[in-house]
Amino acid sequence: GRTLGRYQIETTNPELIAHFADQGVNWFQRDAKRYCFSLSPSDSRGWSQSPESLALTETDKHGNESVTPLVLKFYNDVAGLVYEQNPDRIVSGYIYMDYLYPPKDGVKSLAPNLWLIVAPHISYAYMMYKPEVREDWLEVISFWGDTTDQLAYYDLPVWWRQHLGLIMPVGPSILQFIFTNIHEKGYKGAYLYGNEAWGAGGVSN
């Protein structure tokens, strides 16, 4: 099915899992310099409503739908198959939106070639100035940092959507809070940015 212009796929289907794994293996075979294959879902909501998928759907701490167990299973299943043929390459996926918060039963194991990129949308656009957001963010960052050491971070902490207007500060206290904590939790990489319109946001960025 489709929702919001995006496709829904049944990530618990073994044939689909095998297909994605084949795509990953082929991706690496076509170019020896390639080292990473992404499994991240499209940037929108709408998930399969099959019994198999709903069994891996739960509610997060704020009472919203969470598909973290569903997405992690998909990542793990595909990564495991890719690992059999390409143990020296990486498979990666975002931890984001409906699959940001920790699963209620925790994470028992992850494929050895799977890297997670935590993208806490809750902190976008100066939201980290709110104490309750920092507390929520820190809980998320800490959980994933304690779960795996194959981890990176993505954020838009001083992001705003308008392309014209007053130049806004970069928010040094926010950046200090972010970098201090992801360093302490062992995150291996970070990708942060602000306004994509450099004509108006270059100085701030």
Side-chain angles (χ1 to χ4, degrees):
R2 298 187 68 180
T3 179
L4 299 177
R6 307 287 186 172
Y7 287 94
Q8 288 177 314
I9 58 177
E10 182 52 58
T11 57
T12 65
N13 185 329
E15 293 182 3
L16 182 135
I17 291 167
H19 173 74
F20 270 84
D22 287 343
Q23 296 304 305
V25 171
N26 291 337
W27 172 258
F28 295 130
Q29 289 178 343
R30 289 199 300 271
D31 188 342
K33 295 180 181 179
R34 292 173 175 169
Y35 66 94
C36 182
F37 181 68
S38 174
L39 292 175
S40 299
S42 298
D43 191 359
S44 61
R45 288 188 162 101
W47 306 92
S48 169
Q49 298 299 298
S50 73
E52 293 81 4
S53 289
L54 289 176
L56 295 168
T57 302
E58 53 192 26
T59 303
D60 67 25
K61 61 181 289 186
H62 299 292
N64 300 315
E65 180 183 56
S66 173
V67 292
T68 306
L70 178 67
V71 171
L72 276 183
K73 181 183 186 307
F74 175 66
Y75 288 170
N76 255 330
D77 289 347
V78 176
L81 292 177
V82 173
Y83 184 77
E84 293 175 2
Q85 298 190 53
N86 299 100
D88 59 336
R89 306 299 172 91
I90 293 171
V91 173
S92 68
Y94 278 119
I95 298 297
Y96 171 65
M97 292 293 286
D98 296 345
Y99 42 102
L100 173 68
Y101 287 99
K104 291 181 178 179
D105 293 334
V107 178
K108 296 179 176 61
S109 64
L110 294 172
N113 59 332
L114 177 60
W115 281 71
L116 302 177
I117 299 92
V118 180
H121 62 285
I122 57 175
S123 60
Y124 290 0
Y126 295 91
M127 290 296 290
M128 291 278 266
Y129 278 128
K130 295 183 176 182
E132 63 272 21
V133 173
R134 288 195 180 207
E135 182 179 347
D136 205 13
W137 179 93
L138 191 55
E139 182 179 327
V140 168
I141 292 303
S142 298
F143 173 84
W144 294 110
D146 293 339
T147 297
T148 178
D149 59 358
Q150 298 186 164
L151 204 59
Y153 181 78
Y154 172 98
D155 201 351
L156 302 89
V158 294
W159 178 58
W160 70 103
R161 291 180 181 270
Q162 64 270 25
H163 293 172
L164 298 173
L166 181 68
I167 293 175
M168 300 174 72
V170 74
S173 63
I174 290 177
L175 296 181
Q176 184 178 31
F177 183 78
I178 289 173
F179 281 112
T180 297
N181 282 288
I182 64 174
H183 173 71
E184 288 179 354
K185 287 299 179 181
Y187 284 65
K188 301 298 192 299
Y191 175 36
L192 287 78
Y193 65 93
N195 191 346
E196 68 276 14
W198 281 86
V203 175
S204 182
N205 284 341

